[in-house]
Each structure stands twice: as structure tokens, then as C-alpha cells.
């Protein structure tokens, strides 16, 4: 369960902004899922910012947020908007260009 | 019951400020509720939305939020600059907020459960930051291209409309027209308060835009398809005024510019503010009559607007000069404006708007359209009639006297243009026609109707002379009113008869004179005769008296007894004689 799996991208730093709406179930799940992914795959090489757009509504327009929750991956590569509670682990990893860990309990199938 | 229904407040409406739309909707869009505007590409949905916001800010002091899903704030601002809408300034004044919602499938990935709370927050923030009363969501359907989960989208859009209603903002949602339904994504089922359909039709290479209110819950509304235009001042829905017949009328009479024609109306002309129609076949001097009317209006010092669909201004001026009507001084004084264009230049509605605009600009008392029949080349009969109805109503409301000419083709031929089409709209209908006799054509003019005044029933022959139009006196022949050469013949005959009658009178006068002279001579004779008799009589009387005197004197002397001392002192005169 060490992040040795993603060797190929281990050098790059991830800049992630998660936009949530308070403590709605979707947002809570998204936070939990993202924390788990960061711990499991990106330990020590990520910068995570969680923005509650209920608290800071002006940020929503700046970050072009339509759906909630939304994870905006600023880097590496082009910006990507990952919409939803991030429960599709396989898809999230693929979108973040991370190699799935076979030991990851959230990977189903 | 009645008190109850009175106490119920009518549905509150938010006036749009868009020309004509508030009349059609009878006051505006439902206040605090969403309205769906759907239509095909390029029919002005976005423009209608923006104008709703801008007019709301400028005319009703209701700040607005524009949420644009397709175009950026920059693009929108530059798109509407040509209409005189300064979105940047309004944004700077904190009256307007434009939020461009960028939805791009290539950037968005779905990773699980979500909702559109982000959109709600942005919208809520924008509304609250300026206290907006109006919201426009420009093509919210773009969301469907960015997100795949239809079930979420639909429930979220439904929630959004509910939420906007709860916020009490008057919302306009634009949507693209779909196949077989009003919108592509069936948004109409979420917006149940008011649905406006915009349409863009090309018929005979001429585009006409039309607006129809598909539904308006809780309110009556105009149900027709109303043409509308995108002008340089924004949208303009027509008709502007034709929904009610409630205009003021005038009792003032204006002259037609043809003296004889005025006399055919018992009141000596047309009512000010009425509309007159001159129909006739080709070459029956319809334009000349119209120009005479225009000239008369200018002579009164009134503004006149002359729409010529057949001739250029120069040609019109030249032609009218040839019949003694000089329009130039009035054109130079700015009293007469001749607007010439081919009917096919624009669609009907564009013509109508041009006419409206020029009327607004020049504020004429008289408007002439020569001819209206040409407009049929642009639209169908029904459309032309619709347009003219609106135009005539508009002119009447403005109290403008109007004169239209219309060409009718041939005898008993296609006259529906006038007979069924327009004649019921106009107040006065003059018909000019060829009175074709043996070897010649003459022009005849008659009044078919004149609302509100009696008029002559005669067909009057008229001449277009170098001094203008002149109506000839009615000549009654053995078979009715006669014209042209017959008129001349009749005239000569009458002249001969008159001469003969004159001679007869003179002869009788001479005869009488003669008789008088004879009579006078006879009287003189008799008088002379009488005088000689009288003289004779007097002579006789005198002598008789003398004799009697002498006699009585002789008797007195005899009575005294002294026979006369004849040479004595007695002064007996008669004795000497």
C-alpha cells in the first residue's frame, strides 16, 4: 500500500482543487475518496485545496464550476474537471494518469 | 362572489420594455416566474433575453443577471453594441452581471454522483450581489452537451426552475427549437407558466420572423402569430397597436386637393385622420390624385410622407410637374418627404417598420402609399392584409390622414386585393376607371364609400390637365352620363339649340317692339284727334258765353228805360264790339 506503484509519475507534483458544497453526502464522499486517493497514490507530492463554495460562492465562477462536487486538476497536464463524488476509483485514477494499485480495496473488479 | 374575485390580485407581470411584446402579452412576462423562449437558430432568442434585461434595468430599474452558456461576456457585449446596449457600462454600474458558464465535454469527466449545485451557487451569488430581479439563462440546454447523466440533469433543471421561482426572480430561459417538440430537450415540460415561440421563415426568398405565445398560464394574451423584427433599436413586435379599436376621431375636414372631388363629399373633403383608398386600373391617374392630396397637405403647412413603390422621387417630381403640380418647393422646405423603394427590397414587416420609423421621425399629418398593391409581390394576400391592418390602425391611432392607391387589374378580374382585402379597413374608397367608349378612353371617378358622410353617386369624368386634375361637370345624355367625344357632341348640340332659342327670343322682341311702336302711333293720333275736338268745344263754349252776356246786358238797358246814350258814360264794352 505504498505509493511505489505509480513510479512513472512519481516525480510530478499534483495540484488539486476540490470544490464541495458543505456537508452534503456527495461532497462528504468526494472528500473521503480524494483523501484516500491522495494518501494511497500521491503521498508527499500533491497540493490539495478544498473549497466550500457555500462559503466562498465567488470561487465557483472563477473555477468554472457547474456541478458539485467537482475536482479540478490543475496540473500535471491540462486542466480537467472531474465531476462527481469520485467513487469511480478506476476512472479517477485513469483521469489523473495514475496506475491502479491492485491492493486498493476501492477498486472493484 | 364578485367581491371575492375583485380581491384576488391579478397575475403580476414584469413589463419587458420590448416594443410590442408587452401589448401582445398584455403587460409583460409573469413576474417572479420562468418564461421559456424557444426558437430556431438565428431568430433572436438571445437578443430578446438581453433586451429584456437591458430594458428592465433602463426602464424599470430592475437589475438583471445574464447566465450565458454559449457565448462569453465579451462576445455578448460586442454583439449587442450595435443595438446601443452597453453591457460593460451596466456591469460597471452594478446593474447587470454576466456569467459565462463554460461547459465543454472534453474537459469534464464524470466520476460518480453529483448535482448542479455549482450552478445554483453561481446564480444565487450573482443575483444577491446586485439584487437582481430578472434572470436570463441563455440556452441552458448546453448543459446537455457537457453532461451525460440525463436523469441528474433533468431533475436538476426542474429544481433550478423551482428555485428561481422561490427566489422571485422573473426568468427568461432560451432554448433551441427541437424536432416535433418545442425544445430539443423538452424543457417546455418544466416551464409551465409562459412559453413564447420564435420562428424564422423564408418564403419566396424573403425572411419573416414571427412570434407566438404558446401558453401563458393565468393570463389572457394575443394568440396570433405576430411578426417581429430585429431593428437597430432592438426587437420590435408588431402589431403595436391593432389589438383594440379605441382611437380618437376628428371632425375636422381636410381637402383632397381636387376642388371638384371635394364637392362630391357633402362635407367638402375627408375627415382628418381617416384613411382613403384609390383603386383603379393602370393609367387612371391614381398617383396624380395622390400627389394632389400630398400637395394640398403641404399647402396647409403640414408634414407629408409619400412612400413611392414605383417611381423614384425625381421621376415623381418631374411627372407631377408636367401636370402643373410642383412638389419641389415643399420637398426643399422639408414638408414633403418622398421615400422611394422597391417593394421587394424588404419583407413586409421590414417595410412596416421602416414606415413606422419614418413616421416617428417626421411626425407627418399625411401619409401616402403608392401603391399598396405592389406589396403583394412581397407577401401573400393574407400577409399584406395583415400588414395593412396594422399600418392603418397605427396611422389612425396617431391621427394621421392616410391615402393609399391600389392597382386593380382589368374588369371584374382579380379585385380581391381591394374588395375583400383592404376596403373594409379604409374609410373612404374612390375608384377611378377607364370609361371606354367608341374609339376613346376617358377617366371616370366615383366614390364607392365614405364613412360618416353622404357623397355623390355620380361617375365624374376628370381630366389631367397641365393645371392639375379637373373634374368636369356632369353631362346627362339620353342614355345617362356621357363623356369624351359624346360629351363634346352633346355640347355642340346644346350650343346650337341655345343659339336657335336665342334667335327666337330676339325675333319675338323685335316683333313686340314693332307692335309697341304701332300702338304708340295710334295713341298719338287719337290724342291729336281728341285735342282738336276739345279745342273746338272750348271755342263753341266761349262764343256761347259771350252771346249770353251781350243778351243779358241788352235786357238790363231795356229795363232802365233810357235807350242807350250810346256815346254816354256807360262803359258798355260789348256795344263797341
Amino acid at each position: 500500500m505504498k505509493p511505489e506503484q505509480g513510479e512513472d509519475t512519481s516525480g510530478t507534483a499534483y495540484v488539486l482543487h476540490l470544490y464541495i458544497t458543505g456537508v452534503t453526502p456527495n461532497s462528504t464522499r468526494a472528500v473521503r475518496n480524494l483523501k484516500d486517493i491522495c494518501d494511497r497514490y500521491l503521498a508527499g507530492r500533491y497540493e490539495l485545496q478544498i473549497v466550500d463554495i457555500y462559503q466562498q460562492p465567488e470561487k465557483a465562477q472563477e473555477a468554472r464550476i457547474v456541478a458539485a462536487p467537482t475536482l479540478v486538476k490543475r496540473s500535471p497536464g491540462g486542466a480537467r474537471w472531474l465531476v462527481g463524488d469520485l467513487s469511480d476509483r478506476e476512472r479517477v485514477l485513469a483521469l489523473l494518469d495514475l496506475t491502479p494499485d491492485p491492493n486498493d480495496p476501492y477498486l472493484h473488479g | 362572489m364578485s367581491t371575492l374575485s375583485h380581491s384576488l390580485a391579478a397575475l403580476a407581470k414584469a413589463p419587458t420594455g420590448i416594443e410590442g411584446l408587452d401589448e401582445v402579452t398584455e403587460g409583460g412576462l409573469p413576474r417572479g416566474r420562468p418564461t421559456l423562449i424557444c426558437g430556431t437558430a438565428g431568430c433572436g432568442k438571445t437578443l430578446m433575453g438581453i433586451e429584456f434585461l437591458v430594458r428592465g434595468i433602463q426602464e424599470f430599474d430592475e437589475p438583471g443577471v445574464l447566465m450565458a452558456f454559449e457565448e462569453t461576456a465579451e462576445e455578448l457585449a460586442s454583439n449587442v453594441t450595435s443595438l446601443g446596449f452597453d453591457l460593460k457600462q451596466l456591469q460597471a454600474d452594478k446593474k447587470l452581471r454576466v456569467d459565462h458558464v463554460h461547459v465543454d465535454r472534453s474537459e469534464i469527466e464524470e466520476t460518480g454522483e453529483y448535482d448542479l449545485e455549482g450552478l445554483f451557487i453561481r446564480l444565487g451569488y450573482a443575483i444577491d450581489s446586485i439584487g437582481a430581479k430578472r434572470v436570463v439563462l441563455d440556452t441552458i440546454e448546453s448543459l446537455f452537451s457537457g453532461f451525460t447523466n440525463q436523469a441528474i440533469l433533468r431533475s436538476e433543471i426542474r429544481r433550478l426552475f423551482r428555485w428561481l421561482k422561490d427566489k422571485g426572480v422573473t426568468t427568461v430561459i432560451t432554448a433551441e427549437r427541437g424536432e416535433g417538440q418545442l425544445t430539443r430537450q423538452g424543457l417546455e415540460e418544466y416551464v409551465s407558466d409562459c412559453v413564447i415561440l420564435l420562428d424564422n421563415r423564408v418564403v419566396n426568398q424573403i425572411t419573416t420572423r414571427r412570434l407566438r405565445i404558446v401558453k401563458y398560464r393565468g393570463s389572457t394574451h394575443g394568440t396570433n402569430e405576430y411578426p417581429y423584427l430585429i431593428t437597430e433599436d432592438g426587437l420590435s413586435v408588431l402589431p403595436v397597436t391593432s389589438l383594440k379599436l379605441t382611437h380618437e376621431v376628428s371632425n375636422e375636414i381636410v381637402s383632397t386637393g381636387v376642388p371638384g372631388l371635394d364637392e362630391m363629399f357633402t362635407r367638402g373633403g375627408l375627415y382628418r385622420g381617416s384613411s382613403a383608398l384609390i383603386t383603379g386600373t393602370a393609367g387612371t391617374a391614381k398617383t396624380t390624385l395622390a400627389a394632389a392630396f400630398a400637395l394640398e397637405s403641404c399647402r396647409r403647412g403640414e408634414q407629408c410622407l409619400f412612400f413611392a413603390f414605383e417611381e423614384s422621387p425625381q421621376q415623381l417630381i418631374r411627372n407631377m410637374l408636367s401636370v402643373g403640380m410642383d412638389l419641389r418647393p415643399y420637398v426643399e422646405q422639408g414638408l414633403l418627404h418622398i421615400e422611394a423603394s422597391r417593394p421587394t427590397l424588404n419583407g413586409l414587416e421590414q417595410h412596416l417598420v421602416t414606415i413606422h420609423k419614418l413616421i416617428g421621425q417626421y411626425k407627418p399629418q399625411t401619409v401616402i402609399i403608392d401603391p399598396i398593391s405592389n406589396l403583394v409581390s412581397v407577401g401573400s394576400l393574407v400577409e399584406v392584409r395583415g400588414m395593412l391592418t396594422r399600418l392603418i390602425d397605427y396611422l389612425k391611432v396617431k391621427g394621421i390622414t392616410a391615402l393609399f392607391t391600389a392597382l386593380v387589374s382589368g374588369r371584374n378580374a382579380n379585385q380581391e386585393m381591394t374588395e375583400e382585402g383592404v376596403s373594409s379597413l379604409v374609410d373612404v374608397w374612390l375608384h377611378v376607371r377607364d370609361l371606354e367608349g367608341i374609339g376613346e378612353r376617358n377617366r371616370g371617378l366615383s366614390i364607392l364609400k365614405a364613412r360618416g358622410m353622404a357623397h355623390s353617386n355620380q361617375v365624374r369624368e376628370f381630366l389631367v390637365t397641365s393645371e392639375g386634375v379637373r373634374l368636369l361637370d356632369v353631362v346627362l345624355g339620353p342614355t345617362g352620363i356621357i363623356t369624351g367625344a359624346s360629351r363634346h357632341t352633346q355640347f355642340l348640340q346644346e350650343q346650337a339649340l341655345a343659339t336657335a332659342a336665342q334667335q327666337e327670343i330676339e325675333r319675338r322682341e323685335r316683333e313686340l317692339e314693332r307692335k309697341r311702336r304701332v300702338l304708340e302711333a295710334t295713341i298719338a293720333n287719337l290724342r291729336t284727334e281728341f285735342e282738336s275736338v276739345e279745342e273746338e268745344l272750348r271755342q263753341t263754349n266761349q262764343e256761347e258765353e259771350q252771346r249770353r252776356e251781350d243778351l243779358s246786358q241788352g235786357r238790363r238797358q231795356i229795363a232802365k228805360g233810357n235807350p242807350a246814350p250810346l256815346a254816354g258814360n256807360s262803359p258798355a264794352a260789348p256795344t263797341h264790339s
Side-chain angles (χ1 to χ4, degrees), chain A residues 64 66 68 81 83 85 91, chain B residues 102 107 109-111 115 119:
Chain A
R64 289 162 43 179
V66 175
W81 279 255
V83 161
D85 61 8
R91 192 165 164 75
Chain B
H102 180 91
E107 293 176 344
E109 303 293 341
E110 292 174 29
T111 66
D115 55 32
L119 192 65

Side-chain angles (χ1 to χ4, degrees), chain B residues 379-450:
Chain B
S380 74
L381 204 64
V382 175
E383 290 169 324
V384 172
R385 181 160 56 193
M387 175 218 169
L388 289 171
T389 311
R390 293 192 294 275
L391 177 62
I392 290 171
D393 280 337
Y394 178 73
L395 294 173
K396 285 206 163 164
V397 169
K398 295 248 164 195
I400 297 168
T401 316
L403 182 73
F404 310 102
T405 68
L407 177 72
V408 289
S409 47
R411 304 189 169 177
N412 309 324
N414 176 26
Q415 289 203 339
E416 70 263 45
M417 169 68 211
T418 46
E419 289 189 344
E420 290 163 26
V422 186
S423 63
S424 66
L425 302 173
V426 297
D427 300 312
V428 174
W429 185 4
L430 301 173
H431 188 59
V432 280
R433 64 165 185 250
D434 278 329
L435 304 168
E436 200 174 315
I438 303 154
E440 61 178 15
R441 278 169 178 271
N442 300 299
R443 296 188 177 104
L445 185 154
S446 57
I447 301 173
L448 295 187
K449 77 166 183 184

Side-chain angles (χ1 to χ4, degrees), chain B residues 50-253:
Chain B
I50 292 177
E51 191 170 352
F52 169 69
L53 289 180
V54 173
R55 303 264 179 235
I57 293 164
Q58 290 175 341
E59 294 173 24
F60 309 105
D61 194 28
E62 293 194 356
V65 170
L66 173 60
M67 196 156 236
F69 292 83
E70 287 185 333
E71 290 169 290
T72 64
E74 293 291 321
E75 286 165 345
L76 287 170
S78 62
N79 288 353
V80 297
T81 305
S82 59
L83 304 173
F85 299 159
D86 189 350
L87 296 189
K88 295 248 167 74
Q89 186 58 45
L90 293 173
Q91 282 171 280
D93 295 343
K94 300 244 181 286
K95 293 286 182 193
L96 176 72
R97 272 195 81 118
V98 181
D99 187 355
H100 172 55
V101 178
H102 180 91
V103 179
D104 185 347
R105 173 61 66 69
S106 66
E107 293 176 344
I108 294 177
E109 303 293 341
E110 292 174 29
T111 66
E113 293 280 309
Y114 62 93
D115 55 32
L116 296 185
E117 195 62 25
L119 192 65
F120 285 67
I121 287 168
R122 280 167 76 164
L123 195 47
Y125 177 66
I127 291 170
D128 295 340
S129 63
I130 56 167
K133 298 273 190 294
R134 298 180 177 211
V135 170
V136 171
L137 303 175
D138 187 29
T139 325
I140 198 168
E141 286 173 317
S142 300
L143 288 175
F144 286 87
S145 66
F147 297 93
T148 52
N149 193 329
Q150 297 257 331
I152 291 180
L153 275 180
R154 288 186 180 281
S155 72
E156 285 297 282
I157 287 175
R158 189 186 293 271
R159 187 163 72 93
L160 178 65
F161 294 165
R162 180 76 249 163
W163 177 80
L164 286 166
K165 228 167 164 172
D166 291 342
K167 275 226 162 239
V169 289
T170 312
T171 310
V172 166
I173 299 127
T174 66
E176 196 86 2
R177 185 80 197 269
E179 290 291 324
Q181 49 186 2
L182 289 177
T183 61
R184 256 181 218 166
Q185 303 296 341
L187 287 181
E188 61 271 22
E189 65 182 272
Y190 308 122
V191 182
S192 51
D193 294 291
C194 182
V195 178
I196 296 174
L197 182 63
L198 304 182
D199 188 21
N200 199 357
R201 255 177 265 167
V202 181
V203 181
N204 297 335
Q205 295 125 46
I206 290 162
T207 307
T208 313
R209 295 185 167 106
R210 278 160 211 284
L211 174 148
R212 181 163 69 94
I213 297 171
V214 179
K215 79 172 179 188
Y216 197 147
R217 181 171 286 179
S219 167
T220 54
H221 56 83
T223 50
N224 303 341
E225 277 195 319
Y226 300 99
Y228 69 95
L229 290 145
I230 299 173
T231 69
E232 52 226 72
D233 307 314
L235 277 173
S236 175
V237 182
L238 312 158
V240 184
T241 49
S242 76
L243 297 174
K244 285 174 186 143
L245 282 172
T246 51
H247 46 266
E248 300 278 318
V249 294
S250 168
N251 265 327
E252 198 188 330
I253 296 291

Side-chain angles (χ1 to χ4, degrees), chain B residues 523-536:
Chain B
I523 289 172
N525 273 347
L526 286 173
R527 182 167 288 144
T528 317
E529 212 171 302
F530 172 74
E531 278 170 0
S532 57
V533 171
E534 193 182 34
E535 178 63 28
E536 209 172 311

